[in-house]
Amino acid sequence: MNRIVMLALFLLVAAAAGTYSFFCIRRLLKFYFPRMGRLRHWLSGLCAALLLLSCVNLWSLKAVVTLHILAFFFVFDLLAFFVRRLRRRFGDTARPAYRCLRILYRSGALALLCAALLLGYGLYNMKQVIRTEYEIFTQKPIGNYRIVLITDTHYDTIQDTALLKEKAEEISGLCPDAVILGGDIVDEGTAKEAMQEVFRVLGGIKSTYGTWYVYGNHDLQPYSREKQYTAEEFEAAARAGGVRILCDSAAELGGEMILAGRDDAAWGGNSGRAAAEEILSGADRGKYIIMADHQPAGLEENAAAGVDLMLSGHTHAGQIWPAGTLLELLGNYNYGLYEHGDSRLIVSSGFTGWGYPLRTQAHCEYVLITIRGTGAGNGAQAGM
């Protein structure tokens, strides 16, 4: 069913984009080549068809750029509709300004300029990684802890190597108690050597209880026909970098906390992964329990199992506006802090984007979470 819906959505977008691009191109040709005649219609159709063929993959950079340009043309078409109405109301007094706006509108200059500015911002924004901080209070008698969440680095495809190393050193300087890698550290475009390098860099971050990792939906390159490494090589690289993998398993940190990790939830189901209750069977629920899960799915299940804090990524906070806004409107966990009873969920926008080097919604980040308990405890940051 999901594939049918996706196919129907693709055909709908393609039909709308193709029809609208035809009229936009025809208008531009009329403005720049007013004597072209009927050839304008044929050339507009050909250009629109070629444009669509180059954007068959909706996740490609070409498609994203094209859709942004068409979106701005549509916005200015709506504005032009209202400007025409205003012109009728003000009459001849608005004629000079109207002529100037009409030239800018029909030439496509305003739409292209706005698209270029937004896409330029998207390129710049992708290379700016900020630190986002949360402070979580608990009634459990534990000390104070600092946890760093890094998710969705998509290393060697989008993110800059120097920037990753710079941020790794910065995080070490924060003296965290634990570092959690929330999945999609690499993806289908990552070479084996780069995969090994990212684990060396992130595993080298200094922390009290080390660096822990949960699988994302891209890490093992399931969408690639020619994988660059095997699952065994991936796990070996993680171990060599000092990174410990949590896959439907849990570990105790400092005698006061339990860190659990779930296998990634596949599209349309749970991919046979263990239930939260099963992962935490035998765990002391009096300790503070953190559940790392790449996709923000199963908050209610985790809360019922006694999880205090769930950490996720995957959404990129939408990455391209208005994707994140639509996810929020549809009731999905997209970005930020959410609560369900006594359990909380933090969804990170990720260390970088996916697919193309553009981010026009939200920002790139790593997350610093300070957990404050009611007791002095044994935490490395107790009394902080």
Side-chain angles (χ1 to χ4, degrees), residues 144-150 171-172 174-181 202-203 205-213 244 246 251-254 257-260 290 292 311 366-371 379-381:
N144 299 333
Y145 291 83
R146 307 183 91 188
I147 307 296
V148 169
L149 171 65
I150 303 172
I171 293 168
S172 290
L174 297 174
C175 301
D177 292 298
V179 176
I180 299 172
L181 307 181
L202 296 178
I205 297 175
K206 298 175 182 178
S207 64
T208 307
Y209 302 114
T211 302
W212 305 79
Y213 160 86
R244 283 163 281 190
L246 290 171
E252 190 174 292
L253 304 183
M257 303 180 69
I258 293 174
L259 174 60
I290 299 174
L311 302 176
Y366 68 86
V367 180
L368 174 64
I369 305 133
T370 301
I371 301 170
Q381 301 295 330

Side-chain angles (χ1 to χ4, degrees), residues 37-179:
R38 291 186 178 182
L39 178 61
R40 182 188 309 122
H41 302 289
W42 293 101
L43 190 57
S44 299
L46 177 62
C47 290
L50 292 174
L51 197 66
L52 277 183
L53 286 175
S54 68
C55 300
V56 170
N57 178 9
L58 280 177
W59 306 113
S60 68
L61 182 59
K62 286 182 181 179
V64 171
V65 172
T66 300
L67 289 174
H68 273 78
I69 292 173
L70 290 177
F72 275 107
F73 267 97
F74 182 71
V75 168
F76 281 104
D77 276 345
L78 290 178
L79 290 175
F81 172 79
F82 290 108
V83 168
R84 290 189 194 102
R85 287 180 172 272
L86 289 173
R87 185 220 174 190
R88 292 170 188 169
R89 177 175 296 182
F90 291 102
D92 293 340
T93 58
R95 183 173 295 177
Y98 177 76
R99 285 179 176 175
C100 181
L101 290 174
R102 187 171 184 270
I103 291 173
L104 289 173
Y105 161 69
R106 296 187 68 81
S107 68
L110 287 175
L112 291 173
L113 176 61
C114 289
L117 288 174
L118 181 62
L119 294 171
Y121 163 75
L123 286 169
Y124 169 81
N125 192 33
M126 185 63 80
K127 296 182 179 297
Q128 310 307 307
V129 179
I130 68 172
R131 178 171 74 240
T132 302
E133 299 188 24
Y134 296 91
E135 193 171 34
I136 304 294
F137 293 89
T138 177
Q139 294 302 311
K140 291 187 174 180
I142 65 171
N144 299 333
Y145 291 83
R146 307 183 91 188
I147 307 296
V148 169
L149 171 65
I150 303 172
T151 183
D152 299 281
T153 57
H154 292 270
Y155 188 69
D156 196 39
T157 58
I158 299 295
Q159 198 51 265
D160 180 74
T161 304
L163 181 59
L164 180 69
K165 293 180 178 179
E166 174 191 328
K167 293 300 176 180
E169 292 180 5
E170 181 179 304
I171 293 168
S172 290
L174 297 174
C175 301
D177 292 298
V179 176

Side-chain angles (χ1 to χ4, degrees), residues 255-320:
E256 295 184 335
M257 303 180 69
I258 293 174
L259 174 60
R262 299 192 71 177
D263 196 6
D264 181 59
W267 293 104
N270 287 331
S271 187
R273 64 178 185 168
E277 186 66 42
E278 182 181 348
I279 297 171
L280 296 172
S281 61
D284 182 356
R285 308 307 163 92
K287 296 179 180 179
Y288 194 84
I289 301 176
I290 299 174
M291 179 71 79
D293 190 349
H294 176 64
Q295 300 187 39
L299 174 59
E300 296 77 8
E301 177 191 351
N302 288 331
V307 172
D308 297 288
L309 177 63
M310 178 179 171
L311 302 176
S312 297
H314 180 67
T315 66
H316 295 274
Q319 185 171 338
I320 300 296

